[in-house]
């Protein structure tokens, strides 16, 4: 026990006399017998020897059972009790309670390093959880979910005290309450007690506090199933490979393995549930990615337990469009009184930026909602021209409700087309927005549409992504088929579908929202009268825009919600469509003969009007997000520069990785098509469907070409005429051999050249091989290929401003995808071998920061326990991170290619110490652009850090020289020229 009572004590360390007496009622009589009045004194003299726990947060019996080495030490007299051991240092690695996992907690929350905990005044992760984590919904154990416990508290509020956190309250619940409901999707207490009635008897006898306590601590773990969806017997039968580990006690039971590993490995909990197939459902993958559930199994269990809510979550229950339309109109009606009182104001002075033409027939509530949406969407000068086509409801009083509009009123319904042409005669602005009165605009729709049409003089019109009231797409740009019929691309799909979210030229966009140049409209005479009263007039207008040499552009950032057929009946609309389809086909035979035939399988080819741009299919391990590091930044630069050069790019990932909209769209140009839901198993069907669509195949990383090669051989007739480019990213043979040497592992019997030939065997398929350095290019030539080009890194110097004295601490930045990979190995070496040499040389408060992407498969706890280490993980904006650090380190001991991290640190103005290997790869000199030391000399590496950390003059000189080298070697203009030259050598 701590003797200094002024030091904050962890909750798990404080003796709780009230709880103790309630938990061990026999103690009161015993205390009287021994003449002891203080419960804590009794605990020390007698209670701890009999397996008593000092408080609700520590379980003595479980601790001794779970840690047999501790039990042995207690028997030998090294410790008074398990609690004594825990307080004496066991708390660092051990868990004090069966419902909290210390190491898993520290692994799950990388930022909880030993340094961080000490700075914040916490003794270990359990201390943090009890004081902070449980209030922030942190997960302390897979079998305790704070959200589920909160539901239990709503049913039994008298048992959950306001001043206690949920975890603390649950630990002292009477068995009847604790067993009444779940606190984890992994365990069902009601089912458990029904399945094993003898457990209730043991609880009544006081041997266990509740059903979960029994399941987690009983000595025959393999004899009990936790819930109806898991079977110990069936799991063991399905996976005989686990039998040895279970027999040896590596896992407590089969469920222990399943929860920790099997559920995420695709293993099934029993014969009747295929978890891998369940996980493949898009909604399940999205929910897992968004952390709604931790495994596909818990997602499944939640769905079975709460079928109604989970069915909706999984997308089974669709929003009925008829009901959605009613809601849309009711919302418009509900806003009407407020809008009438407020009076919308469209007055302006001078020339307007845009003229809006809206034709209406009745539907005053919809009209006012649309106008309010327009006004709220754009504050600039808008000329609003409203054509009232014979309304007989309160639309006739519109001028009383809206100021500053040009109102053209007709006594009869002149129809949409003639109304628009009448409005066109009043237009004053350089751009016209045709806008339906049954729409709502998403934020910035008008501004973004104007920005797009102003961006290039060749753009004649800009259309929107149109979403129906049931939140399904109406169109993402539209197609005109060869027979004159039309198709709203991706109709009925999810609006966030990647295929619907990149900018492209299209045949037409619906005039529910379309911005057109006024001068062009006047030259074309507006809508063609032959299509009156409506339908196909917008298709015809877009075709005439294209014939006039202008482009019709679909911009998915411009979003509207549309009450389809809201201003006219659907049946009448369909009849008009059929009649005007024939008129349209007769008017444009010269245009239609070049269109795709009417079939949905042709939609990919038809969705985009092809100009002179060439199309490139880029393949990577996964969508190359910049935060992933490890070569993905360069791949992202390749995609960005391809788009900047005018190529139309599609990115296809080899591996299945669920990524949210927020993850992907902000990292790529808006003209790039991303396909996050596809992977290598889909490639054969994908390339067949897009036969003739691409001009070049760009494959990133040699191992991806190796996986694709059998498919490419089989589907070669569908591949681009320009063939394939292999972007090696790194020649791995030197790195592989370097790893064997560094880790003193045995080599295979292959020579260097044999390994190199084997690695590059797949390159024979490719028209061009790309390496990141000239050294790698020489290895490709050594393997017998002369069709090789070099494409390095793109980097813009952006030095962080802080000076030497304003900075402190040491920084590492690198993605940690796998244990044993170069970055992970470098951290192990640095933390274990290098950091100790800095003790006594640099102040103890100089910390070592680890930043960068961290895979969930990488255990960071060995690093987190070091007193100098601070872990921040992925950082979106590197500027502030680098600006506060004085020295960057890259302790990489085996690697290939070009070290991006070295150039990136230099570009941000942070001098560095790197291994000699990396210095040779980047070609920089010791003492000029950086300092370097051998990767097998920890002392020299530490000495270089100390020298740079303490020498401001050296620091400034290295910073300036490295920035100069970045300007010379990593010019974006050079990168773009080299990339274009590579592409041009392949595309005819």
């Amino acid at each position: 026990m701590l003797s200094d009572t002024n030091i904050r004590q962890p909750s798990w360390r404080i003796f709780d006399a009230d709880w103790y007496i309630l938990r061990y009622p026999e103690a009161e009589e015993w205390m009287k017998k021994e003449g002891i009045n203080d419960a804590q004194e009794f605990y020390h003299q007698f209670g701890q020897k009999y397996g008593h726990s000092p408080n609700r947060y520590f379980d003595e019996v479980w601790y001794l059972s779970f840690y047999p080495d501790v039990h042995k030490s207690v028997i030998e007299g090294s410790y008074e009790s398990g609690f004594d051991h825990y307080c004496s240092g066991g708390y660092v690695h051990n868990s004090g309670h069966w419902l909290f996992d210390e190491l898993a907690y520290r692994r799950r929350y990388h930022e909880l390093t030993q340094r961080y905990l000490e700075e914040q005044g916490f003794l270990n992760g359990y201390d943090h959880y009890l004081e902070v984590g449980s209030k922030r919904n942190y997960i302390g154990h897979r079998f305790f979910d704070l959200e589920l416990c909160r539901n239990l508290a709503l049913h039994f509020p008298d048992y959950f005290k306001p001043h206690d956190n949920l975890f603390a309250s649950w630990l002292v619940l009477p068995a009847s309450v604790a067993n009444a409901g779940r606190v984890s999707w992994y365990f069902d207490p009601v089912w458990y007690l029904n399945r094993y009635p003898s457990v209730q008897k043991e609880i009544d006898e006081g041997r266990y506090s509740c059903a979960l306590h029994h399941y987690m601590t009983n000595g025959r773990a393999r004899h009990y199933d936790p819930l109806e969806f898991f079977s110990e017997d069936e799991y063991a039968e399905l996976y005989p490979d686990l039998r040895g580990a279970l027999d040896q006690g590596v896992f407590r039971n089969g469920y222990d393995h399943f929860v920790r590993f099997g559920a995420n490995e695709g293993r099934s909990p029993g014969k009747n549930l295929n978890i891998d197939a369940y996980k493949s459902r898009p909604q399940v993958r999205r929910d897992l990615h968004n952390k709604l559930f931790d495994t596909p199994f818990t997602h499944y269990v939640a769905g079975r337990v709460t079928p109604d809510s989970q069915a909706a979550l999984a997308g089974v229950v669709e929003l009925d469009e008829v009901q959605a339309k009613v809601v849309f109109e009711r919302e418009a009606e509900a806003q009407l009184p407020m809008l009438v009182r407020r009076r919308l104001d469209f007055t302006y002075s001078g020339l307007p930026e845009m003229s809006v033409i809206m034709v209406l027939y009745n539907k005053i509530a919809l009209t006012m909602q649309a106008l309010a949406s327009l006004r709220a969407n754009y504050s600039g000068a808008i000329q609003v021209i409203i054509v009232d086509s014979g309304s007989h409801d309160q639309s006739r009083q519109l001028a009383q409700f809206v100021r500053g509009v040009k109102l053209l009123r007709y006594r009869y319904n002149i129809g949409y087309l003639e109304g628009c042409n009448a409005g066109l005669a009043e237009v004053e602005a350089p751009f016209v927005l045709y806008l339906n009165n049954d729409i709502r605009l998403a934020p910035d729709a008008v501004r973004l549409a104007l920005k797009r049409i102003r961006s290039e003089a060749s753009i004649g019109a800009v259309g929107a992504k149109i979403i129906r009231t049931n939140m399904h797409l109406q169109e993402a740009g539209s197609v005109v088929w060869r027979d004159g019929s039309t198709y709203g691309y991706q109709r009925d799909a999810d609006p966030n579908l990647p295929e619907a979210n990149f900018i492209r030229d299209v045949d037409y966009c619906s005039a529910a929202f379309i911005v057109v140049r006024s001068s062009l409209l006047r030259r074309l005479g507006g809508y063609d009268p032959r299509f009156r009263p409506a339908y196909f007039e917008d298709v015809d207008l877009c075709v005439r825009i294209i014939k006039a040499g202008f482009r019709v552009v679909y911009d998915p950032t411009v979003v509207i919600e549309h009450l389809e057929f809201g201003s006219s009946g659907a049946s009448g609309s369909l009849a008009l469509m059929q009649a005007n389809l024939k008129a349209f086909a007769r008017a444009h035979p010269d245009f239609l003969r070049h269109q795709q035939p009417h079939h949905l399988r042709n939609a990919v080819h038809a969705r985009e009007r092809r100009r002179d741009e060439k199309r490139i299919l880029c393949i990577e391990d996964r969508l190359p997000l910049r935060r992933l590091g490890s070569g993905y930044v360069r791949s992202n630069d390749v995609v960005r520069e391809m788009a900047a050069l005018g190529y139309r790019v599609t990115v296809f990932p080899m591996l299945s990785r669920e990524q949210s909209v927020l993850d992907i769209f902000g990292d790529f140009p808006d003209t790039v098509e991303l396909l996050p839901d596809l992977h290598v198993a889909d490639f054969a069907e994908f390339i067949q469907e897009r036969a003739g669509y691409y001009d070049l195949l760009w494959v990133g990383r040699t191992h991806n070409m190796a996986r694709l090669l059998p498919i490419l051989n089989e589907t070669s007739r569908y591949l681009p005429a320009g063939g394939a480019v292999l972007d090696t990213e790194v020649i791995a043979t030197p790195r592989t051999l370097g790893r064997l040497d560094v880790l003193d592992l045995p080599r295979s019997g292959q020579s260097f050249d044999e390994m190199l030939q084997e690695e590059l065997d797949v390159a024979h398929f490719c028209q061009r091989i790309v390496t990141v350095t000239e050294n790698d290019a020489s290895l490709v030539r050594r393997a017998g290929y002369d069709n090789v080009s070099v494409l390095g890194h793109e980097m813009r110097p952006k030095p962080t401003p802080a000076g030497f004295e304003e900075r402190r601490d040491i920084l590492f930045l690198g993605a940690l995808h796998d244990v044993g990979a170069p970055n992970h190995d470098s951290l192990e070496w640095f933390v274990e071998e290098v950091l100790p040499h800095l003790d006594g040389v640099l102040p103890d408060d100089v910390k070592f920061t680890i930043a960068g992407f961290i895979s969930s498969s990488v255990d960071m706890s060995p690093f987190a326990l070091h007193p100098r280490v601070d872990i921040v993980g992925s950082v979106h904006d590197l500027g502030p991170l680098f600006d506060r650090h004085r020295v960057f380190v890259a302790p990489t001991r085996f690697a290939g290619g070009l070290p991006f991290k070295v150039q990136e640190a230099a570009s941000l103005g942070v001098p560095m110490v790197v291994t000699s290997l990396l210095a040779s790869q980047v070609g920089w000199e010791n003492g000029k652009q950086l300092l370097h030391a051998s990767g097998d000399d920890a002392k020299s590496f530490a000495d270089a850090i100390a020298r740079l950390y303490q020498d401001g003059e050296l620091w400034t000189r290295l910073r300036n020289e490295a920035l100069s080298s970045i300007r010379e070697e990593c010019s974006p203009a050079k990168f773009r020229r080299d990339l274009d030259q590579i592409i041009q050598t392949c595309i005819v």
Side-chain angles (χ1 to χ4, degrees):
M1 297 291 180
L2 285 177
S3 58
D4 188 346
T5 56
N6 293 321
I7 298 176
R8 189 193 71 81
Q9 297 269 23
S11 298
W12 54 255
R13 200 166 198 165
I14 300 172
F15 183 84
D16 186 340
D18 292 339
W19 176 89
Y20 185 80
I21 296 300
L22 287 172
R23 174 67 182 85
Y24 306 106
E26 70 276 12
E28 276 194 294
E29 189 63 33
W30 196 347
M31 288 168 62
K32 291 178 183 178
K33 182 179 177 182
E34 298 293 337
I36 299 174
N37 296 321
D38 183 70
Q40 186 171 2
E41 181 184 348
F42 173 82
Y43 166 76
H44 282 302
Q45 288 192 34
F46 299 99
Q48 63 180 340
K49 295 181 177 63
Y50 285 86
H52 288 187
S53 301
N55 55 55
R56 74 183 77 181
Y57 304 114
F58 185 86
D59 191 317
E60 177 76 20
V61 173
W62 173 82
Y63 190 81
L64 294 177
S65 171
F66 196 75
Y67 301 108
D69 57 324
V70 177
H71 194 188
K72 182 180 177 183
S73 296
V74 172
I75 292 173
E76 292 172 347
S78 301
Y79 299 98
E80 295 291 333
S81 63
F83 185 60
D84 182 30
H85 173 273
Y86 187 69
C87 293
S88 300
Y91 62 81
V92 176
H93 296 98
N94 292 355
S95 300
H97 196 279
W98 48 268
L99 205 50
F100 180 82
D101 189 329
E102 178 73 30
L103 294 182
Y105 188 69
R106 299 278 287 268
R107 282 195 297 267
R108 185 174 287 114
Y109 304 106
H110 302 309
E111 71 276 14
L112 299 181
T113 63
Q114 192 64 31
R115 179 186 182 87
Y116 171 85
L117 291 173
E118 290 174 2
E119 287 177 349
Q120 300 299 315
F122 298 111
L123 207 55
N124 64 351
Y126 196 22
D127 185 12
H128 178 274
Y129 177 72
L130 293 176
E131 296 298 321
V132 177
S134 57
K135 299 171 185 175
R136 297 178 180 174
N137 274 358
Y138 280 24
I139 299 170
H141 197 284
R142 290 179 183 269
F143 281 75
F144 189 80
D145 185 319
L146 285 160
E147 286 298 325
L148 289 176
C149 187
R150 192 167 284 113
N151 292 335
L152 187 66
L154 292 174
H155 288 89
F156 300 96
D158 294 341
Y159 293 93
F160 289 83
K161 298 178 181 178
H163 61 273
D164 280 347
N165 61 56
L166 289 170
F167 180 75
S169 293
W170 190 88
L171 290 178
V172 293
L173 289 178
S176 59
V177 177
N179 294 333
R182 294 172 174 270
V183 289
S184 170
W185 293 120
Y186 286 108
F187 182 77
D188 184 347
V190 176
W191 179 90
Y192 189 77
L193 291 176
N194 286 332
R195 176 72 176 80
Y196 306 107
S198 62
V199 173
Q200 183 64 60
K201 182 180 178 183
E202 294 183 85
I203 294 172
D204 294 340
E205 292 172 351
R207 296 176 59 188
Y208 298 96
S209 62
C210 63
L212 181 58
H213 183 207
H214 177 275
Y215 181 74
M216 297 292 288
T217 64
N218 79 81
R220 302 171 68 241
R222 294 169 68 177
H223 291 79
Y224 295 92
D225 296 334
L227 71 181
E228 63 179 304
F229 309 112
F230 181 89
S231 168
E232 283 286 338
D233 293 339
E234 291 182 11
Y235 193 68
E237 185 179 340
L238 285 169
Y239 306 108
D241 59 305
L242 299 177
R243 192 163 297 147
L246 292 174
D247 291 342
Q248 294 169 23
V250 176
F251 300 99
R252 185 167 179 263
N253 55 12
Y255 198 49
D256 183 27
H257 174 273
F258 178 74
V259 169
R260 289 164 58 187
F261 303 106
N264 279 317
E265 291 174 353
R267 300 191 189 231
S268 293
K271 295 180 179 179
N272 298 321
L273 176 56
N274 186 333
I275 281 291
D276 220 21
Y278 183 76
K279 183 181 178 180
S280 68
R281 300 180 185 182
Q283 187 63 46
V284 176
R285 296 204 311 269
R286 280 192 287 271
D287 291 344
L288 292 174
H289 177 76
N290 292 327
K291 310 297 184 187
L292 297 180
F293 298 91
D294 63 342
T295 66
F297 178 69
T298 53
H299 191 287
Y300 174 82
V301 172
R304 293 296 300 270
V305 173
T306 55
D308 293 338
S309 61
Q310 192 62 21
L313 186 66
V316 176
V317 178
E318 294 289 346
L319 182 63
D320 180 85
E321 189 163 15
V322 173
Q323 294 175 334
K325 288 182 174 183
V326 171
V327 170
F328 187 95
E329 295 199 64
R330 293 292 181 268
E331 288 175 341
E333 292 167 2
Q335 293 181 57
L336 192 57
M338 177 269 294
L339 294 175
V340 169
R341 291 191 188 100
R342 180 173 99 186
R343 292 196 70 187
L344 297 171
D345 189 353
F346 287 96
T347 57
Y348 62 91
S349 59
L351 287 176
E353 299 176 54
M354 178 181 66
S355 295
V356 178
I357 298 176
M358 178 183 290
V359 178
L360 62 92
Y361 174 70
N362 296 325
K363 306 284 187 178
I364 181 62
L366 289 178
T367 300
M368 290 297 293
Q369 177 179 245
L371 289 173
S373 177
L374 174 65
R375 182 71 286 176
N377 193 269
Y378 193 71
S379 60
I382 305 174
Q383 178 195 20
V384 177
I385 304 166
I386 295 180
V387 181
D388 183 355
S389 186
S391 295
H392 49 76
D393 68 354
Q394 287 180 300
S395 299
R396 292 176 295 179
Q397 301 170 262
L398 191 66
Q400 298 177 29
F401 312 140
V402 185
R403 285 194 287 261
V405 300
K406 179 76 174 181
L407 187 58
L408 306 180
R409 179 169 288 115
Y410 291 84
R411 289 183 292 106
Y412 58 93
N413 189 347
I414 65 171
Y416 174 78
L417 186 150
E418 290 193 23
C420 285
N421 283 350
L424 180 60
E426 306 293 333
V427 164
E428 299 175 6
F431 304 102
V432 171
L433 168 60
Y434 288 119
L435 189 68
N436 274 19
N437 73 327
D438 53 3
I439 60 90
R440 283 194 294 238
L441 302 173
D444 281 339
V446 172
R447 182 184 64 81
L448 292 168
L450 285 173
K451 180 181 178 182
R452 181 64 58 189
I453 200 168
R454 288 168 174 157
S455 66
E456 297 181 59
S458 61
I459 300 177
V462 173
K465 177 166 68 176
I466 304 178
I467 303 172
R468 308 203 309 277
T469 51
N470 63 352
M471 295 297 107
H472 290 190
L473 277 173
Q474 176 179 316
E475 65 176 70
S478 290
V479 171
V480 177
W481 298 116
R482 188 173 296 179
D483 63 3
S485 60
T486 62
Y487 165 60
Y489 183 60
Q490 294 296 344
R491 182 180 175 87
D492 288 323
D494 181 342
N496 290 327
L497 188 76
E499 291 95 320
N501 282 284
F502 69 102
I503 291 167
R504 61 189 184 278
D505 290 10
V506 294
D507 294 333
Y508 90 96
C509 292
S510 296
F513 181 109
I514 189 169
V515 177
V516 189
R517 294 182 183 275
S518 302
S519 57
L520 180 58
L521 269 177
R522 292 193 180 95
R523 191 198 319 172
L524 297 175
Y527 285 137
D528 189 330
R530 79 179 78 187
F531 297 103
R532 62 188 174 205
Y535 293 105
F536 271 87
E537 75 288 339
D538 50 356
V539 186
D540 168 79
L541 175 62
C542 288
V543 169
R544 288 188 289 131
I545 288 172
I546 293 168
K547 285 183 174 182
F550 289 85
R551 298 157 54 201
V552 177
V553 174
Y554 162 72
D555 188 339
T557 67
V558 180
V559 181
I560 71 164
E561 183 183 358
H562 182 215
L563 179 66
E564 197 173 29
F565 305 121
S567 53
S568 62
S571 58
S573 299
L574 292 172
L576 285 171
M577 287 180 188
Q578 292 299 320
N580 284 350
L581 165 60
K582 296 177 181 178
F584 172 72
R586 288 193 297 268
H588 299 288
D590 55 333
F591 177 85
L592 294 177
R593 72 172 62 101
H594 300 292
Q595 296 297 101
Q596 288 286 332
H598 186 162
H599 198 286
L600 275 181
R601 291 186 70 87
N602 296 326
V604 167
H605 292 266
R607 67 184 181 175
E608 183 175 6
R609 296 199 63 76
R610 187 157 191 171
R611 298 184 288 154
D612 296 331
E613 305 109 325
K614 301 297 184 180
R615 294 176 178 146
I616 302 175
L617 175 61
C618 288
I619 295 176
E620 247 287 13
D621 282 341
R622 54 194 298 182
L623 295 185
L625 305 177
R626 302 185 76 82
R627 67 179 177 83
L628 296 174
S630 297
Y632 292 113
V633 175
R634 177 177 171 277
S635 294
N636 186 276
D637 285 333
V638 167
V639 171
R640 286 172 177 269
E641 292 298 350
M642 284 178 174
L645 286 164
Y647 297 106
R648 307 293 293 179
V649 184
T650 300
V651 185
F652 185 106
M654 291 286 286
L655 305 175
S656 178
R657 289 286 190 276
E658 187 60 33
Q659 292 165 313
S660 73
V661 173
L662 298 178
D663 287 331
I664 61 177
F665 288 121
D667 238 8
F668 297 90
D670 52 17
T671 58
V672 173
E673 179 186 22
L674 307 171
L675 302 172
D677 293 332
L678 300 183
H679 53 88
V680 64
D682 305 306
F683 185 79
E685 182 179 352
F686 169 83
I687 201 65
Q688 181 176 350
E689 181 181 282
R690 298 198 178 190
Y693 187 79
Y694 295 107
D695 299 287
L696 184 68
L697 178 66
W698 183 286
V699 181
R701 306 178 197 258
T702 309
H703 62 256
N704 286 329
M705 178 59 78
R707 291 189 69 190
L708 274 179
L709 190 57
I711 304 173
L712 297 177
N713 286 332
E714 180 184 350
T715 60
S716 60
R717 60 195 179 279
Y718 306 120
L719 296 180
V725 171
L726 170 59
D727 186 357
T728 60
E729 199 266 323
V730 64
I731 302 300
T733 295
R735 180 175 68 186
T736 301
L737 292 176
R739 178 176 182 273
L740 296 177
D741 291 341
V742 166
L743 301 180
D744 197 23
L745 298 173
R747 289 194 179 196
S748 68
Q750 288 181 305
S751 68
F752 180 93
D753 284 311
E754 287 172 334
M755 290 180 65
L756 187 65
Q757 288 281 356
E758 183 177 295
E759 177 184 353
L760 292 171
D761 181 57
V762 296
H764 75 271
F765 189 88
C766 304
Q767 280 60 51
R768 180 68 34 185
I769 304 164
V770 176
T771 65
V772 75
T773 66
E774 182 56 45
N775 183 61
D776 277 3
S778 68
L779 293 176
V780 174
R781 296 187 191 98
R782 180 172 171 173
Y785 303 98
D786 60 3
N787 55 332
V788 61
S789 300
V790 176
L791 181 67
H793 290 155
E794 174 184 81
M795 199 80 64
R796 292 171 176 82
K798 39 186 182 297
T800 48
F804 176 81
E805 294 294 343
E806 300 171 78
R807 300 168 182 257
R808 60 180 295 108
D809 300 330
I810 303 163
L811 175 63
F812 171 93
L813 175 68
L816 298 170
H817 292 281
D818 300 291
V819 173
N823 281 339
H824 186 266
D825 170 81
S826 70
L827 277 180
E828 285 189 319
W829 179 70
F830 188 84
V831 172
E832 294 173 9
E833 304 292 336
V834 178
L835 278 183
H837 289 293
L838 295 176
D839 292 341
V841 179
L842 295 182
D844 292 342
D845 62 351
V846 173
K847 66 184 180 183
F848 174 56
T849 303
I850 300 172
F853 173 82
I854 302 173
S855 169
S856 58
S857 65
V858 176
D859 180 7
M860 297 295 289
S861 58
F863 308 130
L865 293 173
H866 194 283
R868 285 194 189 268
V869 170
D870 191 17
I871 302 173
V872 298
S874 292
V875 178
H876 178 70
D877 184 0
L878 294 179
L881 176 71
F882 275 77
D883 195 43
R884 66 176 182 264
H885 283 85
R886 185 178 292 181
V887 174
F888 181 83
V889 293
T892 307
R893 301 195 294 169
F894 52 88
L898 187 62
F900 179 84
K901 62 170 72 69
V902 171
Q903 293 176 327
E904 183 174 44
S907 74
L908 290 162
V910 182
M912 69 198 77
V913 179
V914 307
T915 54
S916 302
L917 170 66
L918 295 190
S920 66
Q921 289 175 344
V922 78
W924 290 355
E925 298 179 33
N926 192 25
K928 185 177 181 182
Q929 297 98 336
L930 45 69
L931 297 182
H932 70 75
S934 172
D936 59 6
D937 188 346
K939 177 66 164 58
S940 295
F941 202 95
D943 288 345
I945 293 172
R947 178 184 167 203
L948 181 56
Y949 197 90
Q950 295 167 337
D951 190 337
E953 183 179 339
L954 172 64
W955 187 92
T956 302
R957 186 172 73 251
L958 294 184
R959 169 182 162 104
N960 292 337
E961 288 288 351
L963 283 166
S964 178
S965 294
I966 290 296
R967 293 186 186 96
E968 181 180 343
E969 299 169 13
C970 301
S971 161
K974 180 181 184 300
F975 185 88
R976 186 177 295 183
R977 285 195 306 271
D978 291 346
L979 176 62
D980 198 28
Q981 185 176 3
I982 293 168
I983 296 171
Q984 291 297 330
T985 61
C986 299
I987 296 181
V988 181

